[in-house]
Amino acid sequence: MSSRYVRPYGDTTGDGMIQTSFTLPIPYGPKADGAAQQLANKMGMDPAMVVHSNPIGDDFTFFVVYGSVKHIVDLDEVKVVEREYPLLSPSEVNTTLKKVLRRKLVVVGGCIGTDAHTVGIDAILNIKGFAGEKGLEYYRELKVVNLGAQVSVPELVRSARAEKADAVLISQVVTQRDAHILNTQEMSAAFREAMGDKRPLLVAGGPRFDPLMAAELGVDRVFSRGTTPGEVASYLVHAMQEKKGVAA
Amino acid sequence: MALLDLDPKVVATARKLAARAAEPVVSIAKAHTTVAVERATLRLAGITGADSTHRAGDVPWVNRVIDTVREQCGLEHGVVLPAFHALKEHDLGTLTELAEATAAGQIQFRIPEKKDLTAAKKAATSAVAKGLKTVDRNRAQRDKLVQKLGDPAQRPWIYLIVATGDIDEDVVQAQNAARAGADIIAVIRSTGQSLLDYVPEGATHHGFAGTYATQENFRIMRAALDDVSKEVGRYVRLTNYASGLCMPEIAVLAGLQRLDMMLNDSMYGILFRDINPIRTFVDQRFSRQVHARAGIIINTGEDNYLTTADAVDAAHTVTVSQLLNEHFAHEAGLPDHLLGLGHAFEINPKVPDSFRLELAHALLARELFPDAPLKWMPPTKHMTGDVFNGYLLDGFFNLAGVLTGQSILLVGMMTEAVVTPFLSDRDLALQNVRYVLNAAGSLAEDFRPAPDGLIVKRAHQVLGEAVDLLERIVDDGLLNAIADGTFGLMKRPADKGKGADGVIEKASAYFNPASEMLEAQA
């Protein structure tokens, strides 16, 4: 039976041990170590051991600190998006889609804004796939249109319309000045304006997205780090079933 | 050397095929000019500055002139004839004054004839020659400094990236990196600069994931590295990016400000930025001619293929691209010692024998291009955010670099794919490099892969696959191969892509003194 309250585990239950490292903008020496100790204490590490420090140039010092944190995690207060749909195999995805739609499901994807990092969208869409799972191109009942990098929002909307997309997948890796959030909001607003309720399912993915942000971003679903093509395909099936269920 | 026992006949065949594949593209490149080539030419002729009164923000003067010339009399004869004719006709002192008058709507450009034509050609030639003289002076100055201060004590040279977005912060980071052992500093550009059809002006302080490449930023950083070079007692080199829609112009600015290395790939822009293929090949040829003149080492971008394709399945596409890059570079006048051909350590670490496969690929590149300063690039695709594992992977990457005699080693960051590197990440990464270089020492002397072992066999296999692919490219045509997604799985048709409208077919009376002088050097 798992308990509601947990602490970090070093080598003994409840010891609260963690490890962290950081740099302070002060010269190397005993005073620097003391400063690191103070920071660790303020972070809730008590006792804290500064196990290593070394100078980086004349003005900076790097530290490795081990210690026990006094904080306790209350699992009842942890809020995450739990997957509310079953994980399907590619053949299950194909059969279900065939039954529900009686045609191929059209997916349009790309990296929007100035983002040129296609690694995420390619991992999901390209037949090559990710983590041993084949990408969406592999699924017989999916038609995938990968627009690649640096797709403008109007271009994306145009393509989605031309392809009669059921779902639009966008990927965002670059996060400077919240570019990923602003780009995604711009995208969802553009779809709402252009197509209203008839808009395709909007899915955003990227390593720095929080799955809880779907509403804020104006999209139907957010996928974060480590998502596999199978999870996305299973979600698309689930969402299509829901949609049909409502319509029927 | 010669640990792989490659068949010289197969190697010669591979080179011959690369040359044949490239030939039609070189012809196309010679028959066209682009707005960027014309802008680069005017920059060599001395135009500087920007129109700060334009409502769209600063527009470089060179763009104002080129756009107006194109509107009024086309660019198929080159920009210099109408520009230098107008200069004389209106009795203006400099190209910048001409640009101001152009913006004020006072200039009507036309192609000069007879005596006017001769006069315009002469004036343009002497102006461009002056620009090239500055490039020559910078090259001589670099040679002098290298002689005085010396090259790095060890190979590979240690290549480190800074990217704060603010040139002043970059200076602090770059100087600290040099003090900590970096031999080459690369200033990564702001995301999206490659798709700007102009070069921003002045010192800049707000980039996205990088700092804008501008002439002033180049000057500031080179001066800062000259200072720190004296301090550390070796010549610290500076790298930037001649890629994207302004490839030729940035090549010129690099030559004018004594940059030492430039990223310059024959196909990167096409595949990864969706830039029009013809535009890219025309721009690339001119930019490489400028680099050759400036004595700048180019860095090619084969690492990028492996970020989209699988590093084992697509290993031969790297070899093919290296051979094409080599041919295009030679054709543009770059000698072997300026060819920083790229490759990368990107095999999935979960693949059995992944390290041996990496060694096979790295050694193949080394032996195919014995006189090229190869650029060895660190893992990025399989850096997961587990920084501890990433640090180990970077250690193996460093070891492969030492064992296979790589020339330029781009320092891997354990925080790759997590955050832009912390000061401490960079410091730890350099410690990793120093430890491996020092601990392995001259281990390469003792490294003799078994003649019929996995490493040798794998290298032969990759070379064989590269020859097969080159044969198919020759049959199909390089432009078709690019359109079909042969490289990096990206499909790029020759008539699509950004910047296509900036390509102009040359008229028979096309004149460009820069091209003529650069062509003569090859």
Side-chain angles (χ1 to χ4, degrees):
Chain A
M1 208 191 74
S2 56
S3 94
R4 179 179 163 185
Y5 299 101
V6 291
R7 304 185 70 205
Y9 184 101
D11 67 352
T12 312
T13 301
D15 61 12
M17 289 298 285
I18 65 157
Q19 172 272 118
T20 184
S21 62
F22 52 85
T23 302
L24 291 176
I26 43 178
Y28 171 73
K31 183 147 189 182
D33 283 6
Q37 177 91 36
Q38 190 193 93
L39 177 64
N41 290 148
K42 286 184 175 167
M43 287 165 72
M45 292 170 78
D46 189 20
M49 297 175 285
V50 179
V51 297
H52 171 83
S53 62
N54 67 264
I56 304 178
D58 294 336
D59 306 322
F60 295 92
T61 308
F62 175 67
F63 307 91
V64 179
V65 182
Y66 278 75
S68 173
V69 287
K70 51 188 180 215
H71 312 295
I72 292 164
V73 177
D74 180 352
L75 291 176
D76 283 2
E77 282 176 25
V78 175
K79 296 275 177 285
V80 291
V81 174
E82 300 249 17
R83 187 163 44 77
E84 71 278 26
Y85 52 89
L87 270 186
L88 307 176
S89 71
S91 63
E92 287 169 330
V93 168
N94 287 334
T95 13
T96 317
L97 281 178
K98 215 168 173 180
K99 210 158 52 193
V100 175
L101 288 182
R102 276 180 244 116
R103 61 168 171 84
K104 288 191 179 190
L105 180 125
V106 181
V107 179
V108 170
C111 291
I112 56 171
T114 57
D115 202 334
H117 297 77
T118 56
V119 41
I121 193 81
D122 288 341
I124 300 299
L125 296 184
N126 282 357
I127 191 156
K128 174 76 198 141
F130 171 65
E133 290 183 14
K134 292 262 195 287
L136 300 190
E137 283 179 347
Y138 173 76
Y139 292 72
R140 207 183 51 238
E141 294 300 321
L142 291 178
K143 181 189 171 196
V144 174
V145 181
N146 187 349
L147 300 174
Q150 300 182 331
V151 182
S152 72
V153 167
E155 210 176 319
L156 184 70
V157 174
R158 230 181 353 260
S159 298
R161 195 175 256 158
E163 301 286 348
K164 297 200 174 69
D166 297 294
V168 170
L169 269 57
I170 64 105
S171 168
Q172 292 280 277
V173 174
V174 171
T175 57
Q176 254 183 10
R177 287 180 214 172
D178 288 336
H180 60 312
I181 293 172
L182 300 173
N183 285 342
T184 307
Q185 286 170 334
E186 186 197 337
M187 184 272 308
S188 59
F191 272 104
R192 269 198 309 277
E193 190 166 316
M195 306 167 91
D197 288 345
K198 297 235 165 70
R199 72 165 171 79
L201 206 62
L202 301 177
V203 179
R208 290 281 159 268
F209 277 129
D210 181 342
L212 291 169
M213 289 161 66
E216 185 194 335
L217 294 171
V219 300
D220 298 294
R221 188 79 180 192
V222 172
F223 287 105
S224 192
R225 170 172 296 278
T227 302
T228 63
E231 288 174 66
V232 178
S234 302
Y235 167 71
L236 293 177
V237 169
H238 167 75
M240 283 301 131
Q241 282 171 321
E242 293 259 292
K243 217 171 175 178
K244 288 281 158 184
V246 170
Chain B
M1 276 329 270
L3 303 173
L4 294 174
D5 194 27
L6 298 175
D7 182 349
K9 265 188 258 157
V10 178
V11 174
T13 304
R15 286 213 156 82
K16 222 174 289 159
L17 287 167
R20 271 178 56 201
E23 203 181 271
V25 171
V26 173
S27 303
I28 292 175
K30 284 179 173 170
H32 293 81
T33 184
T34 70
V35 287
V37 166
E38 298 304 320
R39 292 195 303 251
T41 306
L42 275 199
R43 284 188 184 271
L44 270 174
I47 196 168
T48 56
D51 181 357
S52 53
T53 61
H54 199 277
R55 61 194 143 73
D58 289 8
V59 177
W61 284 127
V62 71
N63 287 61
R64 291 308 291 268
V65 172
I66 298 280
D67 293 349
T68 311
V69 169
R70 187 171 192 187
E71 234 172 75
Q72 296 181 352
C73 63
L75 284 172
E76 58 273 15
H77 291 84
V79 72
V80 297
L81 293 177
F84 278 85
H85 179 62
L87 206 60
K88 191 177 142 212
E89 205 176 34
H90 294 268
D91 199 24
L92 295 164
T94 65
L95 286 172
T96 309
E97 283 172 45
L98 174 70
E100 283 166 5
T102 304
Q106 294 160 354
I107 307 288
Q108 185 64 42
F109 288 103
R110 60 191 175 82
I111 310 294
E113 287 170 8
K114 296 185 185 138
K115 257 204 275 177
D116 289 339
L117 176 67
T118 317
K121 278 190 176 179
K122 203 173 148 204
T125 304
S126 100
V128 167
K130 231 167 117 188
L132 285 176
K133 208 168 186 176
T134 306
V135 173
D136 295 342
R137 253 203 318 274
N138 281 331
R139 181 178 187 154
Q141 171 75 356
R142 180 194 305 117
D143 290 345
K144 214 171 94 191
L145 285 169
V146 169
Q147 196 153 39
K148 194 169 133 203
L149 298 166
D151 270 325
Q154 87 296 325
R155 278 281 188 180
W157 292 352
I158 298 169
Y159 178 118
L160 208 73
I161 289 169
V162 299
T164 68
D166 179 337
I167 189 64
D168 296 334
E169 285 295 332
D170 286 345
V171 162
V172 176
Q173 302 237 1
Q175 290 187 326
N176 275 318
R179 289 182 191 114
D183 302 313
I184 302 160
I185 299 294
V187 181
I188 272 205
R189 297 196 303 181
S190 177
T191 297
Q193 180 169 3
S194 51
L195 297 181
L196 298 179
D197 214 342
Y198 65 92
V199 182
E201 275 283 318
T204 67
H205 306 282
H206 301 286
F208 295 90
T211 308
Y212 286 102
T214 74
Q215 184 167 7
E216 179 61 8
N217 285 348
F218 285 3
R219 188 195 65 74
I220 291 171
M221 186 54 89
R222 188 56 265 174
L225 291 185
D226 280 347
D227 287 343
V228 81
S229 293
K230 274 183 226 144
E231 190 187 314
V232 298
R234 62 196 145 81
Y235 183 69
V236 180
R237 286 175 168 78
L238 175 57
T239 303
N240 210 288
Y241 295 67
S243 59
L245 290 171
C246 294
M247 202 190 266
E249 284 177 277
I250 291 184
V252 164
L253 298 179
L256 292 173
Q257 298 300 332
R258 194 176 20 99
L259 268 66
D260 306 283
M261 292 190 185
M262 294 299 276
L263 278 278
N264 184 301
D265 190 87
S266 61
M267 296 188 289
Y268 173 81
I270 304 170
L271 301 174
F272 295 92
R273 300 287 175 174
D274 196 13
I275 294 174
N276 174 256
I278 309 294
R279 169 81 179 252
T280 300
F281 284 119
V282 177
D283 284 354
Q284 178 229 156
R285 185 163 186 273
F286 185 91
S287 66
R288 287 187 174 190
Q289 290 178 324
V290 174
H291 289 330
R293 180 78 173 218
I296 283 176
I297 297 175
I298 62 162
N299 292 185
T300 60
E302 282 80 4
D303 54 314
N304 293 290
Y305 300 148
L306 303 186
T307 60
T308 50
D310 180 79
V312 177
D313 297 343
H316 62 292
T317 66
V318 169
T319 308
V320 167
S321 171
Q322 287 167 336
L323 287 160
L324 288 170
N325 261 312
E326 178 193 51
H327 180 81
F328 284 124
H330 283 165
E331 197 279 325
L334 284 159
D336 281 344
H337 73 269
L338 297 181
L339 296 191
L341 299 173
H343 57 146
F345 188 96
E346 289 283 20
I347 298 175
N348 186 342
K350 293 205 175 94
V351 169
D353 286 319
S354 68
F355 187 64
R356 290 168 90 192
L357 295 172
E358 295 284 8
L359 289 176
H361 299 171
L363 213 49
L364 175 62
R366 182 68 285 167
E367 296 203 353
L368 275 181
F369 309 100
D371 300 316
L374 295 183
K375 186 180 180 198
W376 180 226
M377 284 173 271
T380 58
K381 195 177 175 181
H382 300 287
M383 300 297 270
T384 57
D386 178 349
V387 295
F388 303 101
N389 246 315
Y391 199 65
L392 178 64
L393 210 56
D394 280 333
F396 270 60
F397 157 77
N398 294 333
L399 182 59
V402 178
L403 268 185
T404 59
Q406 301 303 317
S407 316
I408 298 165
L409 184 137
L410 198 160
V411 177
M413 294 291 147
M414 62 184 183
T415 40
E416 176 71 41
V418 184
V419 290
T420 47
F422 290 178
L423 184 76
S424 55
D425 297 333
R426 212 171 273 133
D427 190 66
L428 285 163
L430 281 168
Q431 283 185 48
N432 188 332
V433 173
R434 276 199 302 271
Y435 165 70
V436 174
L437 293 194
N438 186 42
S442 305
L443 184 59
E445 285 173 18
D446 305 316
F447 174 51
R448 295 282 176 273
D452 53 356
L454 176 76
I455 290 177
V456 170
K457 276 195 190 143
R458 173 65 187 161
H460 284 246
Q461 183 197 353
V462 173
L463 180 59
E465 286 173 5
V467 169
D468 291 347
L469 177 56
L470 278 166
E471 271 166 359
R472 263 182 289 145
I473 293 173
V474 168
D475 287 346
D476 196 20
L478 179 56
L479 290 172
N480 289 330
I482 291 170
D484 295 344
T486 305
F487 301 96
L489 299 176
M490 235 81 62
K491 293 180 182 158
R492 303 301 191 201
D495 57 346
K496 294 260 172 66
K498 300 172 177 102
D501 57 352
V503 181
I504 302 113
E505 198 176 336
K506 290 177 184 173
S508 57
Y510 175 82
F511 178 70
N512 184 331
S515 291
E516 287 187 9
M517 283 182 250
L518 293 169
E519 211 72 63
Q521 87 198 351

